[in-house]
Amino acid sequence: MSTGQVVELDRTVIIGRRPRATRASGDNMPHLVAVESPEQDISRSHLEIRPEGDSVVVIDLHTTNGSTLLRPGADPVRLHPGEQTLVLSGDVVDLGDGVTVLFEGLT
């Protein structure tokens, strides 16, 4: 992440100003990653990152300001709220307020 934090994708990750897990319990508790958002561009629970077998998908959690996928060599793509989007190694998701998530080591 642009914050310098590295998060292992061994389970679902939820990123936001004050992220909450809504439908998980016990061993399925997601990593909750809180980020600073001085301009309030980032929602409380903004982005879900979910390993799906050998792939990784991201889901914009119906945020006010949205999320943008930045893929090398391609135009920026605004994520559709609530829809899964496959990410590849080298992809970056911009959450706003200078917070980005870089995906590395994906097969």
XYZ file of all heavy atoms in Angstrom:
802
model
N 0.844 -1.177 0.000
C 0.000 0.000 0.000
C 0.886 1.235 0.000
O 2.036 1.186 0.447
C -0.920 -0.014 1.217
C -1.904 -1.163 1.225
S -3.056 -1.100 2.622
C -3.761 0.510 2.424
N 0.335 2.344 -0.452
C 1.091 3.599 -0.472
C 1.473 4.043 0.930
O 2.383 4.852 1.104
C 0.286 4.694 -1.176
O -0.955 4.888 -0.522
N 0.810 3.493 1.937
C 1.134 3.823 3.330
C 2.379 3.074 3.802
O 2.847 3.301 4.906
C -0.042 3.437 4.246
O -0.263 2.018 4.119
C -1.299 4.192 3.886
N 2.879 2.155 2.978
C 4.025 1.347 3.353
C 3.627 0.014 3.967
O 4.458 -0.875 4.148
N 2.364 -0.139 4.269
C 1.881 -1.377 4.872
C 1.796 -2.482 3.822
O 1.391 -2.245 2.683
C 0.507 -1.137 5.483
C -0.002 -2.285 6.302
C -1.258 -1.899 7.085
O -1.757 -0.798 6.995
N -1.769 -2.823 7.853
N 2.195 -3.687 4.210
C 2.080 -4.858 3.344
C 1.075 -5.796 3.991
O 1.161 -6.086 5.184
C 3.449 -5.569 3.180
C 3.301 -6.845 2.380
C 4.458 -4.634 2.530
N 0.112 -6.251 3.202
C -0.930 -7.129 3.728
C -0.902 -8.437 2.943
O -0.984 -8.436 1.712
C -2.327 -6.475 3.603
C -3.390 -7.413 4.151
C -2.357 -5.140 4.320
N -0.778 -9.540 3.653
C -0.795 -10.867 3.043
C -2.228 -11.201 2.643
O -3.157 -10.992 3.424
C -0.290 -11.891 4.061
C -0.139 -13.282 3.520
C 1.054 -13.441 2.599
O 2.043 -12.715 2.778
O 0.976 -14.283 1.702
N -2.398 -11.712 1.420
C -3.744 -12.047 0.947
C -4.078 -13.507 1.251
O -4.374 -14.296 0.368
C -3.852 -11.771 -0.558
C -3.863 -10.296 -0.939
C -3.893 -10.137 -2.450
C -5.037 -9.588 -0.305
N -4.038 -13.853 2.544
C -4.398 -15.207 2.955
C -5.891 -15.322 3.255
O -6.413 -16.398 3.478
C -3.566 -15.647 4.158
C -3.692 -14.696 5.350
O -4.292 -13.610 5.192
O -3.187 -15.047 6.425
N -6.560 -14.176 3.280
C -8.015 -14.123 3.447
C -8.487 -12.751 2.976
O -7.692 -11.914 2.569
C -8.411 -14.387 4.900
C -7.854 -13.379 5.889
C -8.241 -13.786 7.320
N -7.811 -12.799 8.277
C -6.863 -12.974 9.166
N -6.219 -14.117 9.213
N -6.551 -12.032 10.021
N -9.777 -12.522 3.054
C -10.348 -11.259 2.599
C -9.753 -10.086 3.380
O -9.484 -10.198 4.571
C -11.880 -11.293 2.778
O -12.404 -12.335 1.947
C -12.524 -9.972 2.382
N -9.553 -8.969 2.671
C -9.047 -7.734 3.267
C -10.079 -6.642 3.005
O -10.588 -6.526 1.889
C -7.695 -7.323 2.638
C -7.221 -5.981 3.183
C -6.644 -8.406 2.852
N -10.401 -5.846 4.013
C -11.282 -4.693 3.839
C -10.506 -3.449 4.251
O -9.978 -3.380 5.363
C -12.582 -4.842 4.663
C -13.357 -6.064 4.190
C -13.435 -3.571 4.545
C -14.589 -6.389 4.996
N -10.436 -2.487 3.319
C -9.687 -1.256 3.550
C -10.674 -0.093 3.634
O -11.613 -0.011 2.835
C -8.696 -0.999 2.400
C -7.721 -2.174 2.273
C -7.928 0.309 2.622
C -6.840 -2.104 1.052
N -10.448 0.796 4.575
C -11.284 1.988 4.704
C -10.836 2.842 5.864
O -9.875 2.512 6.560
N -11.545 3.964 6.076
C -11.220 4.835 7.218
C -11.445 4.112 8.539
O -10.662 4.230 9.464
C -12.084 6.104 7.192
C -11.667 7.107 6.162
C -12.393 8.446 6.363
N -13.621 8.368 7.103
C -14.853 8.462 6.575
N -15.016 8.653 5.303
N -15.918 8.384 7.336
N -12.560 3.417 8.649
C -12.876 2.620 9.839
C -13.574 1.348 9.375
O -14.796 1.196 9.539
C -13.765 3.402 10.797
C -12.994 4.469 11.560
C -13.864 5.172 12.527
N -14.934 5.842 11.779
C -15.868 6.595 12.304
N -15.899 6.768 13.586
N -16.777 7.167 11.562
N -12.811 0.416 8.781
C -13.435 -0.750 8.161
C -14.116 -1.665 9.170
O -13.679 -1.790 10.308
C -12.266 -1.455 7.481
C -11.062 -1.010 8.236
C -11.365 0.380 8.716
N -15.218 -2.265 8.705
C -15.956 -3.229 9.523
C -16.238 -4.469 8.692
O -16.491 -4.373 7.492
C -17.293 -2.629 9.963
C -17.150 -1.554 10.996
C -18.476 -1.073 11.547
N -19.614 -1.879 11.147
C -20.832 -1.402 10.912
N -21.068 -0.114 11.028
N -21.825 -2.184 10.579
N -16.223 -5.595 9.358
C -16.605 -6.848 8.716
C -18.090 -7.041 8.945
O -18.569 -6.940 10.063
C -15.817 -7.996 9.315
N -18.818 -7.305 7.872
C -20.266 -7.412 8.017
C -20.754 -8.851 8.077
O -21.654 -9.160 8.822
C -20.977 -6.701 6.853
O -20.452 -7.181 5.625
C -20.769 -5.203 6.950
N -20.152 -9.753 7.284
C -20.702 -11.107 7.251
C -19.652 -12.168 7.521
O -19.602 -13.166 6.836
C -21.356 -11.407 5.914
C -21.302 -10.335 4.888
C -21.707 -10.850 3.530
N -20.584 -10.936 2.634
C -20.127 -9.950 1.898
N -20.693 -8.786 1.953
N -19.114 -10.121 1.115
N -18.806 -11.944 8.483
C -17.758 -12.921 8.769
C -17.688 -13.187 10.263
O -18.095 -12.369 11.065
C -16.418 -12.395 8.274
N -17.156 -14.353 10.597
C -16.970 -14.671 12.008
C -15.887 -15.731 12.142
O -15.573 -16.435 11.191
C -18.268 -15.186 12.622
O -18.676 -16.360 11.969
N -15.317 -15.824 13.340
C -14.331 -16.856 13.631
C -13.123 -16.792 12.717
O -12.512 -15.757 12.542
N -12.791 -17.939 12.110
C -11.610 -18.042 11.252
C -11.753 -17.236 9.967
O -10.773 -16.984 9.282
C -11.343 -19.511 10.889
C -10.935 -20.324 12.098
O -10.492 -19.722 13.098
O -11.057 -21.561 12.049
N -12.970 -16.863 9.619
C -13.195 -16.134 8.376
C -13.107 -14.623 8.537
O -13.438 -13.887 7.625
C -14.576 -16.488 7.794
C -14.628 -17.937 7.378
O -13.635 -18.523 6.999
N -15.804 -18.526 7.475
N -12.677 -14.160 9.715
C -12.566 -12.716 9.932
C -11.572 -12.125 8.947
O -10.447 -12.592 8.844
C -12.101 -12.411 11.352
C -13.208 -12.469 12.381
S -14.553 -11.323 12.063
C -13.789 -9.773 12.455
N -11.984 -11.105 8.218
C -11.057 -10.491 7.271
C -10.029 -9.615 7.979
O -10.221 -9.220 9.126
C -11.972 -9.634 6.395
C -13.135 -9.323 7.267
C -13.307 -10.505 8.180
N -8.931 -9.345 7.267
C -7.994 -8.324 7.723
C -8.715 -6.988 7.573
O -9.262 -6.694 6.508
C -6.741 -8.284 6.840
C -5.854 -9.464 6.954
N -5.138 -9.770 8.098
C -5.520 -10.417 6.053
C -4.425 -10.850 7.886
N -4.637 -11.263 6.660
N -8.739 -6.189 8.607
C -9.314 -4.847 8.537
C -8.162 -3.850 8.538
O -7.382 -3.809 9.489
C -10.248 -4.588 9.722
C -11.442 -5.544 9.848
C -12.244 -5.224 11.092
C -12.314 -5.494 8.607
N -8.048 -3.081 7.454
C -6.929 -2.156 7.303
C -7.472 -0.725 7.295
O -8.174 -0.326 6.363
C -6.149 -2.445 6.001
C -4.996 -1.461 5.845
C -5.640 -3.892 5.984
N -7.151 0.026 8.348
C -7.596 1.416 8.452
C -6.549 2.325 7.815
O -5.349 2.141 8.022
C -7.805 1.792 9.910
N -7.027 3.294 7.017
C -6.137 4.262 6.371
C -6.614 5.671 6.696
O -7.788 5.898 6.975
C -6.087 4.051 4.837
C -5.438 2.714 4.501
C -7.464 4.152 4.212
N -5.679 6.590 6.666
C -6.005 7.999 6.897
C -6.671 8.579 5.659
O -6.313 8.230 4.527
C -4.724 8.789 7.184
C -4.043 8.400 8.483
C -4.837 8.825 9.705
O -5.402 9.930 9.699
O -4.894 8.036 10.670
N -7.643 9.450 5.864
C -8.308 10.128 4.755
C -8.704 11.530 5.208
O -9.858 11.796 5.528
C -9.540 9.335 4.301
O -10.168 9.968 3.210
N -7.713 12.455 5.222
C -7.983 13.813 5.723
C -9.125 14.522 4.991
O -9.858 15.290 5.587
C -6.661 14.550 5.499
C -5.633 13.499 5.296
C -6.338 12.277 4.809
N -9.280 14.242 3.700
C -10.333 14.895 2.915
C -11.639 14.102 2.932
O -12.596 14.457 2.245
C -9.871 15.095 1.467
C -8.610 15.932 1.324
C -8.804 17.355 1.820
O -9.875 17.938 1.565
O -7.879 17.872 2.473
N -11.667 12.987 3.657
C -12.849 12.117 3.741
C -13.225 11.540 2.378
O -14.393 11.233 2.117
C -14.051 12.868 4.356
C -13.765 13.474 5.714
C -13.598 12.435 6.805
O -14.487 11.644 7.067
N -12.443 12.424 7.447
N -12.231 11.388 1.470
C -12.487 10.793 0.156
C -12.727 9.291 0.268
O -13.383 8.689 -0.580
C -11.290 11.013 -0.790
C -11.182 12.452 -1.254
O -12.137 13.226 -1.037
O -10.133 12.799 -1.831
N -12.154 8.691 1.295
C -12.245 7.241 1.467
C -13.388 6.933 2.423
O -13.527 7.546 3.484
C -10.905 6.687 1.993
C -9.812 6.967 0.956
C -11.008 5.200 2.294
C -8.419 6.603 1.410
N -14.216 5.978 2.036
C -15.363 5.582 2.867
C -14.894 4.762 4.064
O -13.771 4.262 4.094
C -16.348 4.767 2.027
O -16.883 5.567 0.996
N -15.784 4.609 5.039
C -15.437 3.812 6.227
C -14.973 2.420 5.818
O -13.937 1.954 6.265
C -16.632 3.720 7.174
C -16.870 4.986 7.946
C -17.991 4.789 8.963
N -18.417 6.068 9.468
C -19.513 6.694 9.087
N -20.319 6.140 8.207
N -19.820 7.858 9.591
N -15.783 1.715 5.055
C -15.381 0.452 4.434
C -15.407 0.705 2.940
O -16.479 0.858 2.346
C -16.337 -0.680 4.809
O -16.199 -1.020 6.166
N -14.236 0.784 2.324
C -14.123 1.294 0.950
C -13.913 0.194 -0.081
O -14.614 0.139 -1.081
C -12.967 2.292 0.893
C -12.938 3.120 -0.351
N -13.394 4.418 -0.374
C -12.520 2.842 -1.605
C -13.260 4.906 -1.601
N -12.722 3.960 -2.359
N -12.933 -0.671 0.162
C -12.554 -1.673 -0.832
C -12.400 -3.029 -0.176
O -11.794 -3.143 0.894
C -11.218 -1.273 -1.490
C -10.761 -2.145 -2.658
C -11.590 -1.819 -3.911
C -9.286 -1.927 -2.952
N -12.962 -4.048 -0.823
C -12.755 -5.427 -0.388
C -11.813 -6.090 -1.382
O -11.979 -5.947 -2.595
C -14.089 -6.177 -0.349
C -13.966 -7.608 0.112
C -15.318 -8.298 0.267
O -16.282 -7.633 0.691
O -15.388 -9.496 -0.045
N -10.819 -6.786 -0.859
C -9.884 -7.548 -1.681
C -10.058 -8.999 -1.270
O -9.958 -9.332 -0.082
C -8.429 -7.100 -1.440
C -8.289 -5.603 -1.678
C -7.475 -7.891 -2.325
C -6.979 -5.021 -1.191
N -10.329 -9.861 -2.251
C -10.669 -11.233 -1.905
C -9.904 -12.226 -2.781
O -9.992 -12.160 -4.006
C -12.169 -11.429 -2.071
C -12.656 -12.727 -1.504
C -14.147 -12.778 -1.336
N -14.869 -12.472 -2.544
C -16.053 -11.872 -2.579
N -16.630 -11.480 -1.467
N -16.652 -11.655 -3.706
N -9.143 -13.136 -2.152
C -8.532 -14.205 -2.936
C -9.620 -15.173 -3.394
O -10.497 -15.546 -2.619
C -7.563 -14.879 -1.959
C -7.814 -14.294 -0.614
C -8.813 -13.198 -0.743
N -9.585 -15.526 -4.669
C -10.556 -16.473 -5.251
C -9.767 -17.560 -5.964
O -9.450 -17.416 -7.143
C -11.474 -15.748 -6.248
C -12.398 -14.724 -5.654
C -13.648 -15.340 -5.065
O -14.023 -16.461 -5.468
O -14.251 -14.704 -4.192
N -9.402 -18.613 -5.251
C -8.575 -19.651 -5.859
C -7.203 -19.086 -6.196
O -6.514 -18.557 -5.334
N -6.816 -19.164 -7.469
C -5.518 -18.641 -7.905
C -5.594 -17.177 -8.304
O -4.601 -16.603 -8.739
C -4.996 -19.459 -9.099
C -4.616 -20.870 -8.683
O -4.337 -21.087 -7.486
O -4.603 -21.756 -9.555
N -6.759 -16.567 -8.199
C -6.951 -15.184 -8.625
C -7.242 -14.287 -7.419
O -7.489 -14.769 -6.321
C -8.138 -15.089 -9.593
O -7.943 -15.928 -10.698
N -7.219 -12.983 -7.669
C -7.594 -12.006 -6.649
C -8.575 -11.036 -7.279
O -8.353 -10.550 -8.396
C -6.358 -11.242 -6.111
C -6.781 -10.137 -5.157
C -5.396 -12.199 -5.421
N -9.677 -10.767 -6.575
C -10.663 -9.804 -7.058
C -10.780 -8.664 -6.055
O -10.520 -8.837 -4.865
C -12.057 -10.443 -7.300
C -11.981 -11.494 -8.397
C -12.633 -11.033 -6.034
N -11.155 -7.486 -6.583
C -11.430 -6.330 -5.734
C -12.883 -5.921 -5.950
O -13.435 -6.114 -7.033
C -10.485 -5.143 -6.038
C -9.064 -5.489 -5.660
C -10.568 -4.706 -7.484
N -13.487 -5.373 -4.895
C -14.879 -4.934 -4.959
C -14.976 -3.573 -4.285
O -14.619 -3.427 -3.111
C -15.815 -5.929 -4.239
C -15.662 -7.330 -4.830
C -17.272 -5.458 -4.310
C -16.219 -8.430 -3.957
N -15.437 -2.570 -5.043
C -15.740 -1.274 -4.454
C -17.027 -1.444 -3.650
O -18.035 -1.931 -4.166
C -15.935 -0.225 -5.565
C -16.265 1.131 -4.998
O -17.461 1.383 -4.727
O -15.341 1.927 -4.815
N -16.985 -1.069 -2.368
C -18.109 -1.329 -1.462
C -19.138 -0.191 -1.486
O -19.510 0.352 -0.453
C -17.575 -1.577 -0.047
C -16.656 -2.805 0.080
C -16.034 -2.872 1.461
C -17.416 -4.087 -0.246
N -19.599 0.129 -2.696
C -20.631 1.158 -2.898
C -20.212 2.473 -2.237
O -20.972 3.074 -1.483
C -21.989 0.683 -2.385
C -22.457 -0.559 -3.067
N -23.110 -0.537 -4.271
C -22.325 -1.863 -2.744
C -23.381 -1.782 -4.644
N -22.904 -2.602 -3.734
N -18.986 2.911 -2.561
C -18.427 4.102 -1.941
C -18.943 5.366 -2.606
O -19.405 5.353 -3.741
C -16.890 4.080 -2.025
O -16.512 4.061 -3.404
C -16.324 2.864 -1.317
N -18.830 6.467 -1.873
C -19.260 7.757 -2.391
C -18.369 8.235 -3.527
O -18.840 8.686 -4.566
C -19.238 8.804 -1.257
O -20.066 8.329 -0.201
C -19.746 10.148 -1.736
N -17.048 8.123 -3.346
C -16.102 8.663 -4.325
C -15.497 7.628 -5.256
O -14.739 7.975 -6.154
C -14.992 9.426 -3.598
C -15.531 10.662 -2.921
O -16.305 11.404 -3.509
N -15.158 10.876 -1.675
N -15.787 6.346 -5.038
C -15.346 5.311 -5.958
C -13.898 4.909 -5.802
O -13.154 5.414 -4.968
N -13.510 3.948 -6.653
C -12.152 3.415 -6.708
C -11.785 3.285 -8.177
O -12.645 3.003 -9.010
C -12.085 2.026 -6.059
O -12.588 2.052 -4.744
N -10.492 3.452 -8.482
C -10.036 3.403 -9.868
C -8.922 2.384 -10.016
O -7.951 2.398 -9.249
C -9.521 4.791 -10.317
O -10.566 5.743 -10.120
C -9.122 4.789 -11.777
N -9.067 1.497 -11.013
C -8.048 0.506 -11.334
C -7.069 1.117 -12.325
O -7.482 1.620 -13.385
C -8.692 -0.749 -11.932
C -7.731 -1.812 -12.457
C -6.894 -2.402 -11.328
C -8.494 -2.913 -13.183
N -5.784 1.090 -11.966
C -4.717 1.588 -12.833
C -3.878 0.389 -13.258
O -3.178 -0.213 -12.433
C -3.860 2.608 -12.086
C -4.629 3.763 -11.425
C -3.711 4.582 -10.539
C -5.290 4.631 -12.476
N -3.973 0.022 -14.536
C -3.227 -1.115 -15.068
C -2.185 -0.591 -16.053
O -2.521 0.201 -16.936
C -4.189 -2.080 -15.771
C -3.506 -3.318 -16.334
C -4.517 -4.382 -16.692
N -5.009 -5.000 -15.461
C -6.153 -5.684 -15.380
N -6.930 -5.833 -16.426
N -6.514 -6.222 -14.227
N -0.923 -1.001 -15.883
C 0.115 -0.525 -16.793
C -0.274 -0.750 -18.260
O -0.722 -1.827 -18.631
C 1.336 -1.366 -16.421
C 1.094 -1.779 -14.990
C -0.402 -1.944 -14.885
N -0.143 0.310 -19.067
C -0.434 0.213 -20.492
C -1.897 0.320 -20.843
O -2.278 0.139 -22.006
N -2.759 0.589 -19.859
C -4.201 0.677 -20.128
C -4.750 1.974 -19.518
O -4.154 2.554 -18.615
C -4.931 -0.526 -19.531
N -5.897 2.405 -20.018
C -6.557 3.578 -19.456
C -7.099 3.249 -18.064
O -7.484 2.099 -17.805
C -7.727 4.017 -20.345
C -7.254 4.624 -21.655
O -6.124 5.149 -21.695
O -8.027 4.563 -22.635
N -7.153 4.235 -17.158
C -7.750 4.001 -15.842
C -9.205 3.540 -15.986
O -9.923 4.000 -16.869
C -7.685 5.375 -15.167
C -6.611 6.114 -15.897
C -6.658 5.596 -17.310
N -9.615 2.633 -15.119
C -10.975 2.091 -15.149
C -11.617 2.306 -13.785
O -11.082 1.881 -12.762
C -10.966 0.582 -15.486
C -12.368 -0.003 -15.400
C -10.363 0.330 -16.850
N -12.765 2.956 -13.777
C -13.527 3.157 -12.540
C -14.206 1.832 -12.190
O -14.868 1.219 -13.035
C -14.584 4.236 -12.810
C -15.368 4.608 -11.614
C -14.801 5.853 -11.035
N -15.761 6.421 -10.120
C -15.460 7.368 -9.301
N -14.259 7.877 -9.316
N -16.347 7.835 -8.483
N -14.044 1.371 -10.953
C -14.678 0.121 -10.540
C -16.181 0.331 -10.386
O -16.628 1.362 -9.893
C -14.094 -0.366 -9.209
C -12.601 -0.702 -9.186
C -12.216 -1.218 -7.806
C -12.237 -1.711 -10.249
N -16.950 -0.656 -10.821
C -18.402 -0.615 -10.653
C -18.734 -1.061 -9.235
O -18.313 -2.138 -8.810
C -19.100 -1.521 -11.669
C -18.933 -1.066 -13.078
N -19.626 0.002 -13.602
C -18.134 -1.523 -14.066
C -19.269 0.189 -14.855
N -18.353 -0.721 -15.166
N -19.479 -0.263 -8.476
C -19.801 -0.610 -7.088
C -20.429 -1.998 -6.973
O -21.349 -2.336 -7.716
C -20.796 0.472 -6.669
C -20.496 1.625 -7.575
C -20.066 1.003 -8.879
N -19.891 -2.794 -6.054
C -20.444 -4.107 -5.769
C -20.053 -5.193 -6.749
O -20.379 -6.352 -6.530
N -19.336 -4.857 -7.820
C -18.942 -5.865 -8.812
C -17.503 -6.300 -8.600
O -16.638 -5.481 -8.311
C -19.081 -5.302 -10.238
C -20.503 -5.108 -10.679
C -20.576 -4.650 -12.132
O -19.577 -4.780 -12.874
O -21.642 -4.143 -12.509
N -17.267 -7.597 -8.788
C -15.916 -8.127 -8.675
C -15.109 -7.758 -9.912
O -15.602 -7.873 -11.026
C -15.945 -9.647 -8.540
C -16.577 -10.139 -7.272
C -16.458 -11.649 -7.122
O -15.704 -12.303 -7.823
N -17.212 -12.200 -6.202
N -13.871 -7.321 -9.697
C -12.950 -7.018 -10.789
C -11.657 -7.763 -10.524
O -11.071 -7.646 -9.442
C -12.665 -5.494 -10.859
O -13.903 -4.800 -11.040
C -11.727 -5.170 -11.998
N -11.206 -8.536 -11.490
C -9.977 -9.299 -11.380
C -8.779 -8.350 -11.425
O -8.731 -7.454 -12.267
C -9.882 -10.304 -12.535
C -8.647 -11.196 -12.555
C -8.698 -12.201 -11.409
C -8.549 -11.919 -13.889
N -7.828 -8.534 -10.510
C -6.603 -7.738 -10.541
C -5.420 -8.655 -10.858
O -5.450 -9.844 -10.544
C -6.349 -6.964 -9.226
C -7.346 -5.838 -9.059
C -6.365 -7.868 -8.015
N -4.416 -8.041 -11.482
C -3.217 -8.754 -11.891
C -2.010 -8.157 -11.187
O -2.062 -7.035 -10.677
C -3.034 -8.638 -13.407
C -4.234 -9.027 -14.270
C -3.963 -8.665 -15.731
C -4.532 -10.509 -14.126
N -0.897 -8.877 -11.192
C 0.343 -8.337 -10.641
C 0.696 -7.055 -11.369
O 0.625 -6.993 -12.591
C 1.473 -9.354 -10.810
O 1.936 -9.783 -9.575
N 1.052 -6.024 -10.617
C 1.389 -4.738 -11.203
C 0.231 -3.762 -11.215
O 0.427 -2.557 -11.417
N -0.996 -4.249 -11.012
C -2.164 -3.362 -10.953
C -2.114 -2.522 -9.680
O -1.598 -2.949 -8.646
C -3.475 -4.160 -10.941
C -3.849 -4.707 -12.305
O -3.163 -4.396 -13.301
O -4.844 -5.452 -12.370
N -2.691 -1.321 -9.778
C -2.821 -0.421 -8.629
C -4.285 0.000 -8.551
O -4.903 0.301 -9.565
C -1.927 0.829 -8.804
C -2.197 1.849 -7.701
C -0.457 0.440 -8.828
N -4.848 0.002 -7.355
C -6.189 0.536 -7.147
C -6.046 1.811 -6.324
O -5.451 1.804 -5.241
C -7.126 -0.475 -6.455
C -8.477 0.168 -6.160
C -7.316 -1.712 -7.326
N -6.579 2.904 -6.887
C -6.532 4.216 -6.239
C -7.841 4.426 -5.478
O -8.920 4.409 -6.076
C -6.352 5.295 -7.305
C -6.154 6.683 -6.723
O -6.408 6.876 -5.513
O -5.755 7.577 -7.490
N -7.733 4.614 -4.153
C -8.913 4.803 -3.317
C -9.251 6.279 -3.124
O -10.324 6.604 -2.627
C -8.707 4.165 -1.932
C -8.284 2.701 -1.895
C -8.226 2.214 -0.471
C -9.187 1.843 -2.737
N -8.324 7.157 -3.498
C -8.509 8.587 -3.252
C -7.667 9.034 -2.079
O -7.107 8.216 -1.338
N -7.544 10.333 -1.908
C -6.797 10.923 -0.801
C -5.342 10.453 -0.765
O -4.726 10.363 0.304
C -7.470 10.627 0.542
C -7.812 11.907 1.298
O -7.394 12.993 0.850
O -8.485 11.815 2.343
N -4.801 10.085 -1.928
C -3.409 9.656 -2.013
C -3.155 8.231 -1.576
O -1.998 7.813 -1.479
N -4.203 7.460 -1.312
C -4.034 6.075 -0.870
C -4.206 5.143 -2.064
O -5.248 5.154 -2.741
C -5.046 5.700 0.236
C -4.910 4.227 0.615
C -4.827 6.573 1.459
N -3.163 4.351 -2.320
C -3.222 3.373 -3.406
C -2.826 2.002 -2.874
O -2.124 1.890 -1.867
C -2.292 3.753 -4.573
O -0.948 3.872 -4.085
C -2.719 5.057 -5.230
N -3.290 0.971 -3.595
C -2.954 -0.410 -3.247
C -2.298 -1.021 -4.482
O -2.896 -1.057 -5.559
C -4.221 -1.220 -2.885
C -3.860 -2.652 -2.529
C -4.980 -0.549 -1.745
N -1.056 -1.494 -4.324
C -0.316 -2.149 -5.397
C -0.382 -3.653 -5.182
O -0.158 -4.130 -4.065
C 1.147 -1.683 -5.385
C 2.124 -2.469 -6.259
C 1.794 -2.315 -7.741
C 3.563 -2.033 -5.976
N -0.684 -4.377 -6.257
C -0.764 -5.832 -6.176
C 0.516 -6.421 -6.762
O 0.869 -6.135 -7.906
C -2.010 -6.346 -6.912
C -3.272 -5.930 -6.237
C -3.866 -4.716 -6.541
C -3.837 -6.730 -5.247
C -5.025 -4.304 -5.894
C -4.981 -6.327 -4.588
C -5.567 -5.125 -4.903
N 1.201 -7.231 -5.948
C 2.457 -7.850 -6.363
C 2.414 -9.344 -6.082
O 1.740 -9.788 -5.162
C 3.636 -7.254 -5.594
C 3.857 -5.775 -5.831
C 5.007 -5.240 -5.014
O 5.034 -5.469 -3.783
O 5.882 -4.603 -5.604
N 3.157 -10.089 -6.895
C 3.315 -11.515 -6.643
C 2.100 -12.349 -6.959
O 1.980 -13.475 -6.476
N 1.189 -11.826 -7.770
C 0.009 -12.606 -8.166
C 0.389 -13.452 -9.373
O 1.123 -13.013 -10.242
C -1.173 -11.692 -8.501
C -1.598 -10.694 -7.427
C -2.779 -9.877 -7.911
C -1.933 -11.407 -6.132
N -0.162 -14.647 -9.438
C 0.150 -15.524 -10.585
C -0.847 -15.364 -11.694
O -1.907 -14.838 -11.528
C 0.166 -16.992 -10.133
O -1.078 -17.297 -9.475
C 1.335 -17.264 -9.221
